[in-house]
Amino acid sequence: MRAVRIALRMRDVGVALASAGVFNQPLGKLQLQKYIYLLDALGGVFETLAPSEGHRTYLHGPYDWAIQDAVDSLSFRGLVRIEAVKRHGGGGVMARYRLTGDGNYWVDSLRQTELLSRRFRAGDAIARRVERIGWTRLRELVYAEPTFVERASVGYGQELSPATAFDASTRELVSVICEALEAGWSDFRVSEDAIADVFFRYLDAYSRRGTSTPKGAELEPHN
């Protein structure tokens, strides 16, 4: 089970780095965690589910140990390049990741399968909107996601399932978005892009209220 979970996250690391790479944007360790959390959150919209076990609330936002194991495995195989490694004030190691030439070839092969192509569509949708809003605001966008806002208030170690949970969750928010956009139309289904646009507008607006950053998160490095 551990190997399967890491393999799924290797896929997601590839998706995240490829999508961000379109904008020449490497992702740091914490950025990668947050990007893949948004990927999980929008999985339902793009009809691609996240692993059954995933992120939990942690000191610096959503965290899944399998993501770091996955990127380390990809680096060992020469598919991911590590750059700008240094220690930050908190004692941890800061690093940024990009796909190598072989990594891009591997990612292109993943895109060819229909099921995985949906995951890439979600990753690309996230990258386009974060590029517009600003990559330095990726952290704040994640802290505004409904499931994280609700579960982070309980404490560390809480399971996060934004695409499948009810009540305060991305699933419920997307449902409201769809109902609002489809109101008054018959036989009309709102597009993935329209949902993603409204979803990120919500995250952006909510995060600017200054109420979505968990206690202690102001110490978090952006990468």
Side-chain angles (χ1 to χ4, degrees), residues 193-220:
D193 272 340
I195 297 172
D197 275 339
V198 177
F199 177 65
F200 272 88
R201 287 177 183 272
Y202 168 86
L203 296 183
D204 189 27
Y206 187 93
S207 66
R208 293 181 187 279
R209 294 174 55 195
T211 60
S212 59
T213 302
K215 182 179 179 181
E218 65 275 6
L219 300 178
E220 176 186 346

Side-chain angles (χ1 to χ4, degrees), residues 60 86-94 219-223:
H60 295 316
K86 62 180 180 179
R87 293 192 175 277
H88 58 71
V93 177
M94 296 173 64
L219 300 178
E220 176 186 346
H222 282 285
N223 64 332

Side-chain angles (χ1 to χ4, degrees), residues 182-200:
E182 294 173 359
W185 297 84
S186 60
D187 300 322
F188 172 75
R189 183 180 179 185
V190 65
S191 70
E192 297 167 344
D193 272 340
I195 297 172
D197 275 339
V198 177
F199 177 65
F200 272 88

Side-chain angles (χ1 to χ4, degrees), residues 19-212:
S19 298
V22 171
F23 300 99
N24 195 31
Q25 178 66 43
L27 294 176
K29 295 171 67 173
L30 297 176
Q31 286 178 314
L32 195 56
Q33 292 280 343
K34 291 172 177 58
Y35 199 105
I36 294 177
Y37 181 74
L38 291 176
L39 192 61
D40 287 350
L42 284 178
V45 175
F46 291 84
E47 299 179 352
T48 173
L49 296 179
S52 57
E53 293 183 75
H55 286 86
R56 291 181 176 273
T57 55
Y58 191 60
L59 177 63
H60 295 316
Y63 184 80
D64 181 357
W65 60 263
I67 293 174
Q68 191 58 49
D69 280 16
V71 76
D72 289 344
S73 295
L74 291 171
S75 299
F76 178 76
R77 289 167 172 79
L79 301 177
V80 167
R81 182 172 69 251
I82 304 174
E83 57 182 40
V85 177
K86 62 180 180 179
R87 293 192 175 277
H88 58 71
V93 177
M94 296 173 64
R96 299 193 305 177
Y97 303 101
R98 294 182 188 267
L99 290 173
T100 63
D102 287 343
N104 281 303
Y105 181 82
W106 167 67
V107 162
D108 287 342
S109 69
L110 295 182
R111 283 185 184 270
Q112 303 310 310
T113 62
E114 181 180 355
L115 183 60
L116 291 184
S117 70
R118 299 173 189 171
R119 197 75 169 167
F120 279 96
R121 285 208 311 271
D124 293 343
I126 293 168
R128 289 194 300 271
R129 286 153 184 87
V130 177
E131 171 71 10
R132 184 185 66 231
I133 295 169
W135 289 92
T136 59
R137 300 202 62 249
L138 179 59
R139 175 182 63 186
E140 285 74 18
L141 295 175
V142 169
Y143 286 161
E145 188 277 322
T147 311
F148 180 72
V149 170
E150 191 273 333
R151 299 303 289 165
S153 66
V154 179
Y156 298 150
Q158 302 300 310
E159 183 179 352
L160 295 163
S161 301
T164 58
F166 291 94
D167 300 323
S169 68
T170 290
R171 173 179 176 157
E172 286 299 288
L173 176 58
V174 166
S175 177
V176 171
I177 290 171
C178 290
E179 289 178 9
L181 293 177
E182 294 173 359
W185 297 84
S186 60
D187 300 322
F188 172 75
R189 183 180 179 185
V190 65
S191 70
E192 297 167 344
D193 272 340
I195 297 172
D197 275 339
V198 177
F199 177 65
F200 272 88
R201 287 177 183 272
Y202 168 86
L203 296 183
D204 189 27
Y206 187 93
S207 66
R208 293 181 187 279
R209 294 174 55 195
T211 60
S212 59

Side-chain angles (χ1 to χ4, degrees), residues 1-9 50-54 64-66 69:
M1 179 62 71
R2 180 184 177 92
V4 171
R5 184 170 171 185
I6 293 173
L8 288 172
R9 287 314 196 189
S52 57
E53 293 183 75
D64 181 357
W65 60 263
D69 280 16

